[in-house]
Amino acid sequence: MRKKIVAGNWKMNKTFDEGVQLVKEIIELYSKEVTSQVYVVLAPPFIHLYKLQPLLFGMPMLELGAQNCSNMPNGAYTGEISAAMLKSVGCDYVIIGHSERRAYFNETNDWLAKKVDIALANLMQPIYCVGETLEERNNGKFYEVIESQLRDALFHLPEEQMRHVVVAYEPVWAIGTGQTATSAQAQEMHAFIRKIIADKYGDELSENISILYGGSVKPDNAKELFEQPDIDGGLIGGAALQARSFIDIVKGIK
Ligand code: 13P
C-alpha cells in the first residue's frame, strides 16, 4: 500500500527561534488531533534540522526533510550541503527539483538526476518535483514537459531504487498564487504520471509510488484534493508556516 504523506516546505522562511516554536506547535496539535495513518514531513531550511531532530523523537510518523542537496558527495563546493550531511542530522527525505530551483538556480533534469542518485545512495527518499509553467499549460505541451521531467531525472534508476522515490506534481502556475489546480485537473495529471511510471516499471511498482500534489493547498481545498484516487498527499508551502493551517491540511487525509 502506498504511503500517505503531507510535507511542509518552509522555503526560505523562519528564523531559528521561530522554527523551533512552529515545530513545537505542530507536535502539540498533531498529537491531539491527527488520527489517520499519514506521514508528516517537515522540510525547514538547513539551519533548523539539527535542532529539530530530537524534538521529533518518539513520533515515528513525523519526519524530517531537506529542501535541496548537493549533487556532489563532498569536497570544495563552497556553500553546498551534501546528502550525507543531511542524513547525519536525521533527514529521511530531500526535496529535489522544486520549480523555484529549476527557475532561479538553473537546475536541469540531468543535474537533478545526480541529486536523486546521491539522495538514494544516502538512504533518503527524494521528493522529486515536476510541474509545467502557465505557458506550457496554455500551449498544450504540459504532458510532454512532465513526461520528460520524469524520464530524464528518474528513469535511469533500477526498480529497487525507484520504489523509494516520492513524486510531487506542482504546477508552477499554482504555486503561491492562490490559484490551485482543480481536483479534476490534479487527478488527471497524477493518473498520467502513474501511467508513465507503470509503462516503464510496471503496474505493481507504480501503484505503490506516492504522488503528492502541491500548489496553493489550503485547509479548505485539501480534503477534496486528497480524496482523488491518485493523489497521495500534499507538498505545502505558505500554509505550512502556521501550525493551525498545516495540521488542518494534514487532517484532510482520511
Ligand atoms: P504554496 O503552497 O505556497 O503554493 O507552495 C507550494 C510549494 O511550492 C510547495 O513546495
Side-chain angles (χ1 to χ4, degrees), residues 159-205:
E159 214 180 288
E160 63 276 15
Q161 287 200 314
M162 185 65 186
R163 283 183 189 284
H164 299 291
V165 172
V166 174
V167 175
Y169 169 57
E170 297 205 308
V172 179
W173 47 272
I175 294 177
T177 57
Q179 187 195 346
T180 182
T182 63
S183 51
Q185 279 172 323
Q187 165 56 28
E188 196 176 35
M189 184 57 87
H190 282 231
F192 173 76
I193 292 169
R194 206 176 295 287
K195 178 176 179 307
I196 296 294
I197 296 173
D199 289 348
K200 168 78 182 167
Y201 290 98
D203 287 340
E204 186 273 327
L205 187 148

Side-chain angles (χ1 to χ4, degrees), residues 74-90:
N74 64 278
Y77 301 102
T78 301
E80 289 288 89
I81 304 274
S82 74
M85 291 172 191
L86 296 173
K87 188 66 191 178
S88 76
V89 290

